[in-house]
Amino acid sequence: DAGVIQSPRHEVTEMGQEVTLRCKPISGHNSLFWYRQTMMRGLELLIYFNNNVPIDDSGMPEDRFSAKMPNASFSTLKIQPSEPRDSAVYFCASRRTGGTVTDTQYFGPGTRLTVL
Amino acid sequence: RKEVEQDPGPFNVPEGATVAFNCTYSNSASQSFFWYRQDCRKEPKLLMSVYSSGNEDGRFTAQLNRASQYISLLIRDSKLSDSATYLCVVGNQAGTALIFGKGTTLSVSS
C-alpha cells in the first residue's frame, strides 16, 4: 500500500500567489481530512470529506481557503491569495470508515508551505 | 478552555527511565481517545487507542479517567527511539473527526 500521497512536499511562494496542495488518499478509504500544523496552534482540522462530500468545513480559516474532492482518489486544498501567516505544514489524512473515528486515520507526509 | 490540553514539555529523561504524560479534554461527551506519535518533521502516526479499562502495549500503558476527563500515557524502560512528540487525541462529540492536543515532547538520552 502506497499510503496517503501528498504533493508538493515543499512549496515556497510569495504573498498573493495562489497555492494548490494535492492529496491522494489510500485506496478504499472514503473519509479524507485536511489539517494544518503550526508551532503556535498545533494540529488543526480544516475540513473533512465523506464519500467525496464536504461534511464539516468549520475549520477553514477564511474565504481564501477552499477544498475540493472531485473523486474518491484525489483532493485539493487551495489558498488564494496566500499570506505569510498561512505558512505551516499541511497534512492530508484518510480513513476507511465514514461513520466513526474508531478506524485508524492515516496521515500523508505533509506539504511544508512557506509564504514570503 | 482548550478542547485538548497537554503539558508541552520537553521531558528530558535518560534511557531506562519511566515517564508519564497527561492530558485533559473539555467535552464530557467524547467517546474515543487515542495517543499519536509524531517524529520530527514527520506525520503523526497512531500509537495506541485508549480504552476505559486501561490498556497496555508492550512498554506503553494508557489510562482513561472519564470522571476527571483525563488521559495518561506511561512509557516504561524508555529507549532512545522513543524520542518524539506524543499527541493526545479525542474524538469529537459526533464521533466523526479527531481533535488533537498540541503534543508533549519527549527526549530520551543515553
Side-chain angles (χ1 to χ4, degrees), chain A residues 13-93:
Chain A
T13 190
E14 293 188 344
M15 182 173 62
Q17 296 298 306
E18 177 179 297
V19 175
T20 299
L21 311 181
R22 297 174 177 80
C23 175
K24 177 179 169 55
I26 293 172
S27 178
H29 284 193
N30 55 10
S31 293
L32 183 140
F33 305 81
W34 281 102
Y35 292 87
R36 176 174 67 177
Q37 187 173 39
T38 61
M39 288 290 290
M40 288 294 294
R41 301 174 68 89
L43 196 63
E44 302 173 283
L45 177 64
L46 300 177
I47 184 171
Y48 73 93
F49 297 82
N50 279 352
N51 297 314
N52 314 337
V53 177
I55 302 301
D56 184 356
D57 65 354
S58 59
M60 295 285 262
E62 49 197 89
D63 292 345
R64 297 184 299 106
F65 286 69
S66 62
K68 294 182 180 179
M69 192 166 185
N71 57 62
S73 59
F74 183 67
S75 177
T76 59
L77 177 67
K78 185 176 293 187
I79 309 173
Q80 165 65 15
S82 59
E83 297 182 1
R85 59 193 170 117
D86 301 330
S87 298
V89 181
Y90 291 80
F91 288 105
C92 176

Side-chain angles (χ1 to χ4, degrees), chain A residues 10 33 35 37 39-43 45 48 91 95 98-102 104-105 107-109 112, chain B residues 2 32 34 36 38 41-46 49 87 91-92 94-102:
Chain A
H10 302 272
F33 305 81
Y35 292 87
Q37 187 173 39
M39 288 290 290
M40 288 294 294
R41 301 174 68 89
L43 196 63
L45 177 64
Y48 73 93
F91 288 105
R95 188 178 74 207
T100 70
V101 298
T102 54
T104 301
Q105 196 168 117
F107 282 78
R112 188 170 296 273
Chain B
K2 294 179 183 174
S32 304
F34 311 88
Y36 273 67
Q38 186 172 22
R41 301 180 77 84
K42 298 287 189 180
E43 71 273 21
K45 293 183 179 179
L46 178 65
S49 300
L87 304 168
N92 67 356
T96 53
L98 299 177
I99 303 166
F100 286 76
K102 292 177 69 174

Side-chain angles (χ1 to χ4, degrees), chain A residues 38-44, chain B residues 1-8 23-28 30 68-71 88-90 99-103:
Chain A
T38 61
M39 288 290 290
M40 288 294 294
R41 301 174 68 89
L43 196 63
E44 302 173 283
Chain B
R1 180 181 175 186
K2 294 179 183 174
E3 292 190 81
V4 180
E5 292 201 65
Q6 298 180 247
D7 180 346
C23 163
T24 57
Y25 60 95
S26 61
N27 191 337
S28 60
S30 298
S68 303
Q69 296 176 210
Y70 172 96
I71 306 164
C88 178
V89 186
V90 176
I99 303 166
F100 286 76
K102 292 177 69 174

Side-chain angles (χ1 to χ4, degrees), chain B residues 3-101:
Chain B
E3 292 190 81
V4 180
E5 292 201 65
Q6 298 180 247
D7 180 346
F11 285 64
N12 299 303
V13 303
E15 275 186 292
T18 296
V19 61
F21 305 138
N22 303 317
C23 163
T24 57
Y25 60 95
S26 61
N27 191 337
S28 60
S30 298
Q31 297 295 324
S32 304
F33 310 91
F34 311 88
W35 284 99
Y36 273 67
R37 170 189 169 133
Q38 186 172 22
D39 293 308
C40 187
R41 301 180 77 84
K42 298 287 189 180
E43 71 273 21
K45 293 183 179 179
L46 178 65
L47 177 66
M48 59 195 300
S49 300
V50 185
Y51 301 116
S52 296
S53 55
N55 49 298
E56 189 174 303
D57 182 1
R59 298 181 293 107
F60 298 82
T61 300
Q63 297 277 355
L64 170 64
N65 184 321
R66 287 185 183 271
S68 303
Q69 296 176 210
Y70 172 96
I71 306 164
S72 66
L73 176 68
L74 182 77
I75 305 175
R76 292 182 300 278
D77 189 22
S78 299
K79 312 292 185 188
L80 294 175
S81 58
D82 293 335
S83 298
T85 296
Y86 291 83
L87 304 168
C88 178
V89 186
V90 176
N92 67 356
Q93 186 168 347
T96 53
L98 299 177
I99 303 166
F100 286 76

